[in-house]
Each structure stands twice: as C-alpha cells, then as structure tokens.
Amino acid sequence: MKAIISDIHANLESLCAVIKDIELYSVNEILCLGDIVGYGADPEACTDIIMEKVDFSLMGNHDYALIHGPSNFNPYAADIIYKTTEKMYPKKMEENCDTDCFEPDFYRCDHNNTNAKCILLRHTDKYRWEFIKNLPEIKKYEYFTIVHGSPLNHIRDYVYPDVIESLWNADKIGAILSKFDNLLFCGHTHIPCIITSDYNCIYPNSCDYRYKLNPEKKYIINTGSVGQPRDRDNRACYLLFDDLYYSIEWRRIPYDIETAKQKITKMCGKDNWCSQRLLLGR
C-alpha cells in the first residue's frame, strides 16, 4: 500500500497529523506530489519531515517559485514565498559545508501530542535548498504516473473537475488521458476527485471516500491537499492507494487549525487571506 500526499504548504500541524495517520496502516511507500512550501509558516520543518519520512517527492509550483521567484502568484501567495525565501535561502556561514550537517538530538516526533513538532530543523538551510531545487517534475511507475499539475505542464497545469463548471474542459481532459497509461495521480487544485476515462467526475463524499478502480479504465486521481484543503472540508486530506486490490481511499484528518492560522498571521500579518482560508477549507 502507498500513501500519496500533496500540497503540504508548510502546514506543520496538518503534516504531523497526516504522518501520524499514515503510521496506522501497512504503508510501504510514501509519495509526495509537491508544494512542500508556500502559504504556511513552517517551510523548514515541513521540508525536513518530507526528507525524513517520504520515499519520493516531486516539485510543485510553490517549490519552483521558492527557487526561481513567484510568477503569476496572487499578492498573498507571493508575499509568503518572499518570506519563505528569507527563511530558507542558505546563509553565508553554510557556504563551505559540502555535506548535510545536522544534530541528531534535534530530531523528535511525539505523536501523542497533537501539537508536536515532528521534526525540529534537523537539516541545514543549504541541504534543504538543494533538496527542493533538485526535485523532479514527474515520475512514471510501471502502472501509474505521478505529477503535481498534469502531463501537459508538470508544475503549473490545473486539472479541474466538473464541479468547477467554468474551468471544466473536456477536450483538455482527453489530451491529458492520452499522455499516460492506467492511472495518473496529481495535486495542485487541492480538490480531491477522480476523473474517469469516460469523463465522469467522482468526489470522495459520493463514494464514501473509497473507490474500487477498474483496470479497463484510465483515471486521473487528485489526492487533495494536506495543508490547505479547498473543497470546503477543512480537514487535512491525503490518499491511500492499495496497489494489491487496485483501490483508493481518501483520508480526512482533523488537525490544530488555530495554531497553523496564528503562525501565518504572525509571519504575514492578520490581513493575509492564507490564514483565514484554512478554517473555511477553501
């Protein structure tokens, strides 16, 4: 069984809650579809958790913006990227450090405490920066593909479901379906759903959060967002993929939203919408 997470967005409280939930299952691999940073206030700790806990991670558009600067970002998101860059850009004192220098005593993951910091800045700024800088954009497995956006544009393309009628594009869905075999797992929209090869959209609450896949069909599967859900459910969202029984299950996990909000407000001011939308799940 694989756990697939996406769009963490520097939300340490939600990521800790999700990691705790994943550990309840017989998961042999954790995959991350990108956007480790952005929107949230704990980019360093979240990056360290991904490096420690996740088997493979992709680059998202916010990760790309961290390295190259935000382009076509709304002012709130851009502001947080600039502040994240200030936090994470390697300091001069580390320029001569050729390897990752860390202190093991700083590592802690107390899952009995829902407010626990799963990791306390174990890695150097330089090592984190290089990790994010070198994240790949897409990975193809034997019978499924993972990407942040879509095969048409790995980092920036949005695959919207039909619930957003103004952005639903059947021709585009057809083009995406032609680019992969079997299954495509993606993130980026923060809206968990399945788009089938016969152009149906299936949402978690319409199938009791579980779905048995048909090997004769293709599926575009959005995992939802760990750190900033946008389907009006404010609980953290991730996906379990049972590759033996060929089925998926979305998991919705409550977390300490108020603490995550307060951290963003402290970082960016009370007028930054990125803190308020956590409670609303949009």
Side-chain angles (χ1 to χ4, degrees), residues 1 20 57 99 116 158-159 191 235 244 246 248 272 278:
M1 184 180 291
K20 178 181 178 180
S57 186
T99 60
Y158 290 93
V159 187
I191 301 173
R235 296 173 297 172
L244 179 61
Y246 209 54
I248 62 169
N272 193 302
L278 290 181

Side-chain angles (χ1 to χ4, degrees), residues 36-228:
I36 302 166
V37 304
Y39 294 129
D42 286 297
E44 298 149 305
C46 288
T47 302
D48 285 5
I49 292 171
I50 296 300
M51 287 193 287
E52 294 287 336
K53 297 286 187 178
V54 171
D55 296 281
F56 188 86
S57 186
L58 296 173
M59 179 174 286
N61 61 308
H62 285 254
D63 307 318
Y64 185 89
L66 175 70
I67 305 301
H68 302 282
S71 176
N72 297 320
F73 275 41
N74 70 63
Y76 300 122
D79 180 49
I80 292 183
I81 285 294
Y82 289 130
K83 287 181 169 62
T84 299
T85 302
E86 291 175 10
K87 280 189 170 197
M88 297 189 70
Y89 190 77
K91 310 302 185 289
K92 289 184 178 180
M93 62 181 293
E94 295 178 352
E95 288 179 354
N96 296 322
C97 183
D98 294 327
T99 60
D100 182 32
C101 308
F102 60 84
E103 173 53 62
D105 290 341
F106 284 122
Y107 179 74
R108 176 164 63 85
C109 194
D110 179 9
H111 289 319
N112 293 319
N113 179 357
T114 57
N115 295 322
K117 303 257 189 311
C118 288
I119 236 175
L120 295 182
L121 305 184
R122 171 169 174 154
H123 296 283
T124 63
D125 289 342
K126 181 177 180 180
Y127 195 68
R128 286 188 206 99
W129 190 268
E130 290 299 314
F131 172 77
I132 292 178
K133 180 180 177 181
N134 291 298
L135 288 172
E137 295 185 9
I138 189 169
K139 184 171 177 64
K140 296 182 179 182
Y141 292 83
E142 182 179 356
Y143 51 93
F144 68 96
T145 299
I146 59 173
V147 69
H148 181 70
S150 91
L152 304 181
N153 186 314
H154 303 155
I155 292 176
R156 293 187 176 89
D157 192 34
Y158 290 93
V159 187
Y160 284 108
D162 62 2
V163 69
I164 306 179
E165 295 180 7
S166 62
L167 296 172
W168 169 257
N169 185 328
D171 290 338
K172 178 179 175 179
I173 296 300
I176 293 170
L177 287 165
S178 72
K179 297 292 185 181
F180 68 91
D181 299 321
N182 306 112
L183 305 176
L184 175 74
F185 293 99
C186 62
H188 198 33
T189 67
H190 301 206
I191 301 173
C193 68
I194 300 170
I195 302 174
T196 70
S197 52
D198 47 8
Y199 297 82
N200 288 324
C201 288
I202 301 163
Y203 299 95
N205 58 6
S206 68
C207 60
D208 196 27
Y209 295 87
R210 297 176 178 86
Y211 192 81
K212 182 74 170 68
L213 301 166
N214 181 344
E216 300 300 318
K217 290 186 177 182
K218 288 185 178 183
Y219 298 93
I220 302 168
I221 303 172
N222 193 296
T223 64
S225 172
V226 169
Q228 198 180 86

